[in-house]
Amino acid sequence: MPLDLNESQKRAVTCSLKPTLVIAGPGSGKTHVIINRIHYMIRHLACHPSHILVVTFSKLAAREMQERFTTLYQENTSVTFGTLHSIFYRILRNANPSKYALENLLSESEKKIILQKLFMQLETDEYEDFIEEFLKHLALMKNQLISPKYYYPDGLSKEMFLKLLNHYELYKEAHQKFDFDDMLVDCYHLLCHQPNLLNLLCKRYRYILIDEFQDINLVQFEIIKLLAGDQKNIFVVGDDDQSIYKFRGAKPEFLLDFKNHFPNTQQYFLEINYRSTKNILNYSIALITSNQNRYSKQLTTPNELGIPPQLIPCKDAKDQADLILKEIIRLKNEGQRLSDMTIIYRTNIEARPIVEMLLKSLIPFCLRDGMISLYDQWITKDILGYLYLAQNTNNTDLAVKLINKPKRYISKAVIEQARHSGGNFFFNLLEIDALTAWQKNYIQQLLLDLQYLKEKSLSDAIMYIRKNIGYDQYILDYAAYRKLPPDTLFDVLDELTEASIGFKEASAWEDSLADVAKQVKEQASDRSIVKDAVTLTTMHGSKGLEFDYVFIINVIEGNIPHHKSHSESEIEEERRLLYVAITRAKKNLYLYTPSEKYAKPVSPSTFIEQIATNRLLTHIMHNKFIMHNKFGQGEILKVIDGNILEVQFGPYHIRKIDGNYCINNGIIHWEE
């Protein structure tokens, strides 16, 4: 019989061979269930190991699952474990060994270098970070099986997107190359057009088990449906509440609509959380209950009540970093391991004050997602460029780079003429008859501004570049051209402005930025050596991890939910992101809400208010009374024997059903 399973896990493990959906809440032992399910299939359902395919989303997860299975049951079987990419690649390589030889596979870094070279060959005035955005859209388009002519890349020129895409596809064809996105799309088309091959694979992989099913995208889902064949012996485990990879094409609908694709599906819920304390679990439930597009769950835990999550107000990013540092040092002095602690943030740029604080304090840390340092940002290069151009107006390369930032309407032909005339670039421009008087006025004003810059302190000089020279306006124009909200770009600009505080000279500031970037890169390459270190990760990168102590920073409006999220589905994904971050915590959870960001007032995330409201409503039902809040007086709808069983409280409809308190059809629990 399966080992060490609770009743719900046992039901999932010992179910019959038919389409099976297992909804597994955080910390509910889903990997344990999959491992025991494999063993049960072999020993009790007469499934031959070589016919079993176990799929997950990372090499590490696949390797760990295989090792755990072998260790637990002392079996070295022919069960196939792998990632979706590795399984699909194996299919392609067996079908066409020469075309899909490993040496023909482009790594992500090689792919980027090739695209940059191809991009430089195009006659274009396109923007600084075109390649980064192009790569995101290329993956999203292919993952969703969308034809290029029907794909509209937000924030990019469609004409330029298609032009570069065409050059890239021609390059791959000429050099017999393929990339990781091609693995998925080519495998799908191969199976669609080779029924004999598909039939052989369906006979080989008669039983398919998939972990983290909420992370699947359309092309992966379509291939899995093909491989499942007519038998449809598919067993998937996932959590719609942890679907957070929409930017890769993943959607909770693949879980929510699973029964529509696989009729006669049997469904099981793993609702016992073995990770978190009751207080942390209830806090997470109070958050995710506000999502409407989800399976209703009755999550519980046998763990102790524990310390309530701490909502910690602070002044700004520096104050926030200082408070976290003090708490880390306190915990370490009490004997807690740094490896039991994590700092979680919404976007990578937020890590800068934390990283600098840890480096200064000599506290080891591990950057799980890597980090694009401020030093590597093109906006930083522009600001530094202006500072250095002020010191030396004879620097032609800098002058050419910045002459139209902001727009001064100097054409490429005129720029090239002035560049190759010898001497001072600006004086050459002023001598060109083709320029109008107002164009020359722009150049003369720039020379005057550069003279002013030399006389200012570093922080004043940066603000002068932004406000007086017009770099902020350039960012606004750039964002409008890209059809993007400018907030993300201004975050970088504000972050580097804040990072310059305390420095007198541009060179010292640049050295500091470069030093942090260097240390971060060294730390990333040596992180396997450091055993006891604080983990720094984005909310996306935190999924699948767990820690005793979780610090979530910048839980403020515009950050989580992010300012780019507007639709209800986008807000629900942001709520799931925070839910994932919260449910990483085992014992202690800290949420920080600065009152200022870049010297401007900010407010706590609306999610914090929703959590408080949902907990208050549950508390109201338990204590049999109605209170006032911003929604006004609650209306009692149903009372039996003096107990309130149903109430309408503003937009919330609360009912007590079978001992559970349901808010807007979602189950929520409360611990006194």
Side-chain angles (χ1 to χ4, degrees):
M1 282 298 292
L3 301 175
D4 191 25
L5 300 171
N6 63 41
E7 285 304 313
S8 58
Q9 290 174 333
K10 193 178 295 182
R11 284 194 293 272
V13 166
T14 60
C15 66
S16 58
L17 290 171
K18 59 187 293 192
T20 305
L21 173 61
V22 180
I23 306 298
S28 60
K30 61 184 179 58
T31 304
H32 190 54
V33 164
I34 293 173
I35 290 168
N36 278 281
R37 174 63 177 172
I38 300 166
H39 182 259
Y40 187 83
M41 290 167 64
I42 296 169
R43 294 298 175 206
H44 300 277
L45 299 178
C47 301
H48 196 279
S50 64
H51 293 156
I52 298 175
L53 172 63
V54 185
V55 184
T56 188
F57 281 79
S58 73
K59 287 181 183 177
L60 179 62
R63 186 169 65 249
E64 285 181 351
M65 194 175 293
Q66 184 171 15
E67 289 172 354
R68 283 178 63 178
F69 176 73
T70 305
T71 302
L72 187 61
Y73 289 108
Q74 300 299 309
E75 295 183 26
N76 187 12
T77 70
S78 51
V79 174
T80 300
F81 292 84
T83 64
L84 287 165
H85 275 92
S86 68
I87 300 300
F88 299 162
Y89 174 57
R90 198 176 305 170
I91 293 170
L92 288 171
R93 190 179 57 192
N94 289 338
N96 193 334
S98 58
K99 180 178 179 181
Y100 295 102
L102 193 58
E103 57 267 25
N104 294 338
L105 174 62
L106 291 172
S107 68
E108 290 302 300
S109 58
E110 289 172 329
K111 177 179 177 179
K112 188 173 180 179
I113 291 168
I114 289 164
L115 284 167
Q116 286 171 332
K117 288 179 179 177
L118 294 172
F119 184 65
M120 293 298 291
Q121 295 169 12
L122 301 177
E123 290 293 323
T124 176
D125 290 324
E126 291 295 339
Y127 8 86
E128 301 276 358
D129 53 351
F130 184 90
I131 297 300
E132 293 293 339
E133 292 301 310
F134 176 87
L135 285 165
K136 293 176 189 175
H137 282 289
L138 177 62
L140 189 58
M141 180 189 76
K142 292 199 171 187
N143 287 339
Q144 296 182 103
L145 291 173
I146 300 175
S147 168
K149 65 180 178 181
Y150 297 120
Y151 185 76
Y152 295 90
D154 289 340
L156 291 183
S157 157
K158 181 169 182 179
E159 179 186 0
M160 189 54 58
F161 176 80
L162 292 175
K163 192 178 288 187
L164 183 56
L165 175 62
N166 183 54
H167 279 62
Y168 179 54
E169 295 297 339
L170 289 173
Y171 175 92
K172 287 189 294 182
E173 186 177 339
H175 295 82
Q176 294 185 309
K177 298 291 185 181
F178 66 101
D179 60 30
F180 285 96
D181 293 324
D182 295 328
M183 277 187 195
L184 306 182
V185 177
D186 291 1
C187 184
Y188 171 70
H189 289 301
L190 176 69
L191 297 182
C192 285
H193 295 100
Q194 296 283 346
N196 291 335
L197 173 61
L198 177 59
N199 187 46
L200 285 173
L201 289 168
C202 290
K203 288 179 179 177
R204 166 77 191 277
Y205 300 125
R206 297 179 187 179
Y207 315 101
I208 302 174
L209 297 91
I210 306 176
D211 189 18
E212 302 285 7
F213 193 74
Q214 75 280 344
D215 294 342
I216 205 164
N217 60 42
L218 180 61
V219 64
Q220 293 165 342
F221 187 51
E222 292 299 328
I223 295 172
I224 290 298
K225 283 199 297 182
L226 289 169
L227 291 176
D230 295 331
Q231 296 300 313
K232 297 185 176 13
N233 283 323
I234 182 169
F235 183 99
V236 306
V237 182
D239 183 6
D240 52 302
D241 288 335
Q242 296 185 70
S243 178
I244 57 172
Y245 294 118
K246 185 179 180 182
F247 65 93
R248 296 180 190 164
K251 296 184 292 185
E253 283 75 14
F254 293 120
L255 264 179
L256 296 171
D257 299 336
F258 187 82
K259 294 178 184 178
N260 296 335
H261 298 282
F262 297 95
N264 302 314
T265 290
Q266 51 194 349
Q267 180 174 296
Y268 300 94
F269 285 85
L270 306 183
E271 297 173 311
I272 300 177
N273 180 308
Y274 293 102
R275 177 186 299 153
S276 305
T277 62
K278 286 183 173 69
N279 268 319
I280 292 172
L281 178 63
N282 290 331
Y283 199 82
S284 70
I285 294 169
L287 168 68
I288 204 63
T289 299
S290 293
N291 272 10
Q292 300 299 308
N293 191 30
R294 63 186 291 267
Y295 284 109
S296 180
K297 306 171 186 71
Q298 301 184 47
L299 300 177
T300 60
T301 180
N303 295 337
E304 62 183 6
L305 183 61
I307 300 169
Q310 298 179 53
L311 192 63
I312 302 171
C314 49
K315 183 176 184 293
D316 53 21
K318 184 180 182 305
D319 187 31
Q320 178 175 248
D322 288 342
L323 288 171
I324 291 173
L325 175 62
K326 287 176 184 175
E327 184 65 3
I328 288 173
I329 292 172
R330 184 186 74 80
L331 292 169
K332 189 174 186 301
N333 290 340
E334 289 180 357
Q336 305 302 325
R337 289 173 54 82
L338 294 176
S339 56
D340 290 330
M341 308 174 201
T342 185
I343 301 170
I344 303 179
Y345 32 86
R346 175 65 179 83
T347 58
N348 260 313
I349 195 170
E350 299 167 66
R352 194 268 310 169
I354 303 290
V355 166
E356 291 182 359
M357 174 264 294
L358 292 173
L359 286 171
K360 201 174 294 183
S361 305
L362 301 178
I363 292 177
F365 63 92
C366 167
L367 272 164
R368 184 170 172 83
D369 305 280
M371 173 184 161
I372 299 175
S373 68
L374 272 179
Y375 184 69
D376 297 319
Q377 299 277 357
W378 61 267
I379 291 176
T380 305
K381 302 294 185 186
D382 283 353
I383 296 297
L384 282 168
Y386 263 113
L387 294 170
Y388 289 135
L389 187 59
Q391 295 172 16
N392 178 16
T393 56
N394 288 316
N395 190 323
T396 301
D397 289 339
L398 285 178
V400 169
K401 179 182 178 183
L402 298 170
I403 190 64
N404 280 315
K405 293 183 178 184
K407 198 75 174 170
R408 296 184 178 93
Y409 306 97
I410 312 299
S411 69
K412 278 187 176 181
V414 169
I415 290 171
E416 288 305 307
Q417 183 181 343
R419 178 204 278 271
H420 293 107
S421 295
N424 185 282
F425 174 77
F426 293 114
F427 295 160
N428 292 341
L429 282 177
L430 292 171
E431 294 297 319
I432 294 175
D433 294 334
L435 290 185
T436 63
W438 59 267
Q439 286 174 307
K440 291 181 179 180
N441 283 340
Y442 275 127
I443 298 164
Q444 289 168 337
Q445 181 60 50
L446 174 57
L447 287 169
L448 190 60
D449 285 332
L450 292 172
Q451 191 63 38
Y452 286 150
L453 273 185
K454 289 174 65 175
E455 302 164 4
K456 294 185 176 294
S457 67
L458 179 61
S459 56
D460 287 345
I462 291 173
M463 291 309 296
Y464 191 88
I465 293 167
R466 294 182 59 176
K467 306 301 181 185
N468 296 74
I469 291 181
Y471 195 81
D472 276 11
Q473 185 59 50
Y474 165 71
I475 291 296
L476 286 171
D477 294 341
Y478 177 86
Y481 179 59
R482 287 273 311 275
K483 297 184 175 67
L484 289 175
D487 308 61
T488 303
L489 298 172
F490 276 113
D491 278 351
V492 176
L493 198 47
D494 289 336
E495 192 71 39
L496 70 92
T497 302
E498 188 173 274
S500 71
I501 296 172
F503 292 93
K504 292 183 179 179
E505 298 178 351
S507 58
W509 178 47
E510 182 183 18
D511 287 345
S512 174
L513 291 173
D515 185 52
V516 170
K518 179 177 176 232
Q519 289 188 63
V520 165
K521 285 170 185 170
E522 287 174 352
Q523 180 275 339
S525 63
D526 295 340
R527 64 183 177 182
S528 59
I529 300 171
V530 181
K531 298 298 181 186
D532 192 28
V534 178
T535 296
L536 273 61
T537 180
T538 61
M539 292 180 176
H540 285 102
S542 72
K543 195 162 78 65
L545 306 178
E546 60 181 35
F547 301 88
D548 286 347
Y549 303 92
V550 170
F551 304 85
I552 305 177
I553 67 172
N554 296 326
V555 189
I556 53 177
E557 199 66 12
N559 199 53
I560 181 75
H562 199 266
H563 54 70
K564 290 196 290 188
S565 300
H566 302 291
S567 69
E568 188 56 39
S569 66
E570 289 171 334
I571 296 297
E572 290 210 349
E573 172 131 341
E574 291 290 304
R575 198 177 281 115
R576 291 193 295 270
L577 258 180
L578 183 57
Y579 176 76
V580 165
I582 287 172
T583 54
R584 301 311 94 200
K586 296 163 71 175
K587 295 180 180 177
N588 287 63
L589 175 64
Y590 309 79
L591 300 101
Y592 292 83
T593 56
S595 58
E596 290 181 9
K597 184 179 181 183
Y598 309 129
K600 297 173 186 173
V602 290
S603 57
S605 168
T606 53
F607 293 159
I608 296 294
E609 182 181 0
Q610 290 169 1
I611 292 170
T613 301
N614 284 348
R615 287 169 66 83
L616 170 64
L617 294 175
T618 309
H619 189 63
I620 287 169
M621 294 295 289
H622 267 282
N623 288 279
K624 307 182 183 68
F625 65 88
I626 301 297
M627 292 178 62
H628 287 273
N629 75 352
K630 73 173 189 174
F631 298 123
Q633 177 71 39
E635 179 185 358
I636 298 172
L637 303 178
K638 187 175 182 181
V639 180
I640 295 179
D641 296 330
N643 293 313
I644 297 175
L645 299 183
E646 192 170 355
V647 64
Q648 188 73 36
F649 203 81
Y652 297 96
H653 183 216
I654 317 166
R655 294 173 297 156
K656 185 173 184 180
I657 303 173
D658 297 330
N660 292 309
Y661 296 91
C662 307
I663 299 180
N664 294 350
N665 298 318
I667 305 294
I668 193 162
H669 298 278
W670 175 269
E671 293 290 338
E672 293 299 331

